Amino acid sequence: MDLHMKGKVAVVAGGSTGIGFATALCFLEEGCKVAVFARNAERLEAAKEQFAALGYKDVMTGSADATLEEAVNKFAADVAAHFGTIDYWVNVAGGSLRKSLNKVTNEEFDKVVAINLKSAFFGCNAAARYMKKNEKGGAIVNVSSMAAHRAAAGRALYGCTKAALLQLTKVFAAELSPFGIRVNSVSPGLVLTELSRPVVPEENSPEFAAFFTEYLIKRPGLAREVAAPIVSMCSDVFGYTTAADLRVDGGVDAVYETKWIEENIELLRE
């Protein structure tokens, strides 16, 4: 792609693995100056080595906890001091908890809210502080989830916080609109990463087919298939889009009954 983003400054919060790493790489391929931060220093160093191996040796990295306002603000200030400004900011950091709501402790509740909601709240505010100074504002993308639209028993707290993130996105879009700052979100379906790989059945197995029965695209997504839309939403291609949520979920929440499609495939071929 050539999205005319060369020289722009992009920050990815939670960019050491998975969707975050893929997003940072897409920004780099578009000629952006990229800064990445994550909590795990070892994974961050491994990501930096991967970027370098691909020819990108000037990626700015920092070990920072996205759930701590002071840490987020400091990294944003470091980025602005190093690159001069911030044009794009993507909040990818997130985490889940497989537990029924009646068993969730207060500590667990606060932890999930912090990583899925407060981190984006801190990120949006930190980004806006610098984007307001830009002549053309900037763009922020928050990574939500299909779980925000479709409740999953046993993971309900994750879905609740990701749904709240959609509303947070809309409010930031409204309040930052006078400054030319667009704020959008993406809601991925199941994406194949090192975290999700253990729960995905072996490809071409009956279990694999059953696992993706309700997906219109019968497989897990790839991190890059989410990253590319994220980067596109930051570009001028989406210049008239704000307060929107883009579902990159393989169509899992689009159709009520996918079994009918399978049973009537010959009819649909006509």
Side-chain angles (χ1 to χ4, degrees):
M1 297 185 293
D2 183 5
L3 299 173
H4 305 289
M5 305 171 85
K6 187 174 182 179
K8 296 292 187 179
V9 179
V11 177
V12 182
S16 61
T17 61
I19 294 172
F21 178 87
T23 299
L25 184 57
C26 281
F27 275 127
L28 288 167
E29 291 171 351
E30 291 298 323
C32 292
K33 300 172 184 176
V34 176
V36 171
F37 73 93
R39 182 166 46 188
N40 189 304
E42 290 183 7
R43 289 181 180 175
L44 195 62
E45 184 60 31
K48 190 171 184 177
E49 291 176 3
Q50 286 180 275
F51 289 133
L54 293 168
Y56 302 107
K57 299 180 180 180
D58 298 324
V59 180
M60 180 179 173
T61 60
S63 180
D65 189 338
T67 68
L68 300 178
E69 184 177 21
E70 191 173 313
V72 175
N73 288 342
K74 183 181 183 306
F75 187 77
D78 290 344
V79 173
H82 183 73
F83 288 127
T85 188
I86 296 173
D87 298 293
Y88 313 129
W89 186 291
V90 182
N91 290 305
V92 186
S96 185
L97 176 68
R98 290 188 176 275
K99 210 170 188 182
S100 62
L101 284 177
N102 66 318
K103 297 297 182 181
V104 174
T105 66
N106 287 337
E107 182 180 356
E108 290 170 334
F109 185 95
D110 291 343
K111 185 176 181 180
V112 175
V113 169
I115 190 61
N116 290 330
L117 189 61
K118 288 181 73 175
S119 65
F121 172 71
F122 296 148
C124 289
N125 274 326
R129 192 171 298 116
Y130 300 95
M131 291 180 183
K132 287 177 181 178
K133 301 174 185 178
N134 296 341
E135 182 181 351
K136 294 186 177 181
I140 299 170
V141 177
N142 295 319
V143 177
S144 183
S145 168
M146 68 172 182
H149 306 276
R150 187 174 187 180
R155 273 199 323 151
L157 184 56
Y158 175 74
C160 289
T161 52
K162 288 297 189 178
L165 181 57
L166 298 182
Q167 186 70 5
L168 188 78
T169 298
K170 292 178 182 179
V171 175
F172 267 117
E175 295 187 357
L176 297 179
S177 61
F179 310 102
I181 302 171
R182 297 182 297 106
V183 188
N184 294 293
S185 62
V186 296
S187 290
L190 179 63
V191 176
L192 199 59
T193 65
E194 61 183 52
L195 293 178
S196 65
R197 194 176 297 274
V199 304
V200 178
E202 185 178 346
E203 194 172 357
N204 298 323
S205 67
E207 293 78 13
F208 185 91
F211 196 92
F212 292 99
T213 296
E214 295 184 329
Y215 282 73
L216 298 183
I217 299 176
K218 305 296 184 181
R219 62 170 176 80
L222 303 178
R224 189 176 180 85
E225 291 176 313
V226 180
I230 289 173
V231 173
S232 295
M233 291 187 87
C234 288
S235 77
D236 289 342
V237 171
F238 278 79
Y240 197 55
T241 302
T242 194
D245 179 64
L246 179 63
R247 299 192 190 188
V248 191
D249 62 3
V252 68
D253 198 33
V255 181
Y256 175 71
E257 175 103 39
T258 58
K259 187 176 180 181
W260 183 91
I261 298 174
E262 297 167 9
E263 293 175 346
N264 292 274
I265 189 66
E266 294 303 324
L267 176 65
L268 294 173
R269 289 186 200 279
E270 296 177 2

